[in-house]
Amino acid sequence: MEKTLIVEALGEGGLLLPARLERALAANDRAKLRMTTLQDAAARARAPATSVRPLDAEARAAGLGGDGLDAVVASARMLDGGGYQVSGAGRLTQAILDDIAAMADPLAAAGDGGAEGFSARLVALRTAFAGGAEDILSEADLVRLTSARRGGADSAHLLVMDLHKALNRLSATLSAETVAGARTLGIAEADKPRIAAFMAGLAQTRRLIFGHPGLDTTASRSGARLVIQNDIGTTDAHVIIIAVDGLAATVTYTDVHRSRAKFFISLFSDAGAEWTPLAERTAAGIAGGAAFHLVTGRFVATDAEALDGFLSAVGRNIVFLIDWNKARKALQTFVDKPTAIALLRTAARGAIGHRGFLEMGGPELVFDAVRRSAEGRVPYGARLDRVLGREGAARFLAEVLRLSSEGLAAGRSARLIRDEVRAELARSFGSVEEEMLAVVLRQLGIARMLAGELAGVLDAPADLSDAARDALRSRAKRLEEKADRQIVGARERASGPFGQGGRFLPVADAAEQAVDAFEEAAFLASAARLKPGAAVPPLRDLAAGAVVCCSDLVRAVAAASEGSAGRREDVTDTLEAIDAVTEGERRADAAHRRVQEAALAPSALAPGGSDPLDAGALVATLELARAIEGATDELARAALALRASVLEEMAP
């Protein structure tokens, strides 16, 4: 799609002169061929038996394949009283006048001195032919269209001849040349390194376009400035213009998509450019009259090397704008919008891009992987972040972008790339379960830390200062809150309608409950004024046993993580460690009963006993023992849940 209107709206119409000149010369060829058609039609009407040369092949070469010029000539008939009946004569006449307007266009844009006169002559011709019959061509009309004689009335043919001469003069003044692949117009020698720097950046990522049209570059002088324009893609309001004046570069960017414009700015967050706020604009004929967004960035370099680096960065990033909105929508099939944009930004900064992903089918590439590698685990079209979690889905899609881009660039077959994507999806599902076990290990790490704190306190409960009590209570609360935060995301992923890693969720839940119980025990230990007595040794044994239970369960979970491939030695280690946890829980039960027996013994309760407990100490002792024993119960529950999952995985 042409970008003439938007470039003119941005005040850089001079960039369009080479393209306008090309279109004008093509219009010259069309006008002459159409006039020849009308002349041949008149000759055929006057002498139907005379053979005429075929025109359709020549018409196709001139871009007139749909005009059917041979049929026009064949349809010609003389009319009684003079004139000709020619099918489509009126249509061809108007087309000739439109061709003349296209020939005059670059002359007006260049400020040619004869442009005003050419315009007046065209207006006169349009007036003369206004209201003519569609299929009727008078002799006077034929003369006014095709006559090349001077000295009489003006004709379309004479105007075409005069315009062609003027266009040749304009072409001679343009001195167009190509610099590093950019079409240039009237540039200075000092401009060439700047153009080459921009084109070097463009060349670094051009391969990532994968056949999409776009990235054509033009450059010209506009007063003291070098102006570089890249067409980006095919959207009419999607243009980037870079103006270089000394060591300063100004980037003007327009886009119909606000989010893509913001994305473009973000690619230069570290470049040192200053950007204006996004402004909304409208212009007749651009984007169907809808609003487009304009932003300007200015970069002032310290030297020519820094300026070239910025120009290269601009060129390097342009390919990542092509089909950006299409890629964003494709990714949003599987993740939310912020994640999709973050993926595109990461792909751009990693010189991967998204065009390869789209070339491989976009969403269908992922759907194919789901059908073949995760059938029954993910419904067709389900958001992957609900299945793999946001981070898991983002990691998988980042790999899809990479595999697609690098695979196509390396010439790998589409089948191989699809296989690689399917394998990556299978690995992603395995990693979800590994992540769940990693969450369990983090929970158990916190549980073991709290159990160790309790064991340390019970070694010398009477020596615990008020400051140490406050610190214990505060530290335990922070650790418990940390454990809660860790498990929230994993629990949501596993318990949702398309949950994954769910077979380990009971293990994680039980580990989190153990942390809660240990936190309660730490609070009780910090609040109680425990004195040395018969209840303290079994209480100390209970806390020490809880530490061992935590360690054994950590060993079981770690072995289960390693044993996901079903290796016998890892499964054996897991089951042995699980058995140690359950044995530890039984020892904890026994220690709990010894605490109760000691605390409730007559000597501990009687006021005159050898080691009496006051009511507060009694309650604290019993509650503390209950909390620690409850934590070991949860550890045993986690161990048994892990055992069930491991055995289920091993079942044929």
Side-chain angles (χ1 to χ4, degrees), residues 193-205 228 242 268 305-318:
R194 309 291 85 80
I195 298 170
F198 175 84
M199 295 302 291
L202 198 69
Q204 289 178 22
T205 55
I228 303 171
I242 305 101
F268 301 94
E305 183 179 358
L307 177 60
D308 288 348
F310 178 74
L311 294 173
S312 180
V314 175
R316 185 169 56 251
N317 283 305
I318 290 177

Side-chain angles (χ1 to χ4, degrees), residues 466-484:
D466 289 343
R469 293 174 189 278
D470 291 342
L472 173 62
R473 184 186 300 118
S474 176
R475 190 162 53 251
K477 187 61 178 175
R478 286 199 305 273
L479 288 171
E480 188 267 340
E481 290 173 348
K482 180 179 180 180
D484 284 345

Side-chain angles (χ1 to χ4, degrees), residues 27 29-42 55-56 59 64-76 85-100 126 129 132-137 141-142 145-146 156 160:
D29 293 339
R30 293 195 303 271
K32 289 179 178 177
L33 187 55
R34 283 165 170 153
M35 286 187 287
T36 297
T37 300
L38 293 177
Q39 288 176 317
D40 286 359
L55 296 173
D56 277 355
L64 299 178
D67 275 23
L69 301 187
D70 285 345
V72 171
V73 174
S75 72
Q85 181 174 342
V86 180
S87 177
R91 173 175 54 82
L92 283 178
T93 298
Q94 293 304 314
I96 291 168
L97 298 178
D98 290 341
D99 289 335
I100 291 172
R126 287 194 184 278
F129 287 106
E134 174 61 25
D135 294 333
I136 304 301
L137 183 68
D141 288 340
L142 181 64
L145 282 170
T146 64
V160 166

Side-chain angles (χ1 to χ4, degrees), residues 198-215:
F198 175 84
M199 295 302 291
L202 198 69
Q204 289 178 22
T205 55
R206 180 184 287 275
R207 70 188 188 286
L208 301 177
I209 200 171
F210 295 117
H212 192 284
L215 300 185

Side-chain angles (χ1 to χ4, degrees), residues 111 138 176 181 186 253 288 298 321 334 353 355 427 565 613 625:
S138 68
Y253 177 74
R298 181 172 172 80
L321 303 172
F334 310 105
R355 276 288 308 141
R427 282 192 292 271
L613 292 174

Side-chain angles (χ1 to χ4, degrees), residues 107-193:
L107 298 170
D112 185 274
E116 188 174 345
F118 291 137
S119 177
R121 291 170 66 184
L122 176 59
V123 169
L125 285 172
R126 287 194 184 278
T127 301
F129 287 106
E134 174 61 25
D135 294 333
I136 304 301
L137 183 68
S138 68
E139 192 67 43
D141 288 340
L142 181 64
V143 170
R144 188 136 199 182
L145 282 170
T146 64
S147 174
R149 292 182 180 180
R150 297 189 183 274
D154 197 10
S155 72
H157 195 169
L158 289 173
L159 182 52
V160 166
M161 292 169 60
D162 293 343
L163 281 168
H164 195 187
K165 291 178 183 177
L167 290 172
N168 287 336
R169 289 195 302 269
L170 176 61
S171 179
T173 65
L174 292 182
S175 301
E177 63 176 310
T178 300
V179 176
R183 186 172 54 184
T184 69
L185 171 64
I187 62 169
E189 192 66 27
D191 296 330
K192 292 182 179 180

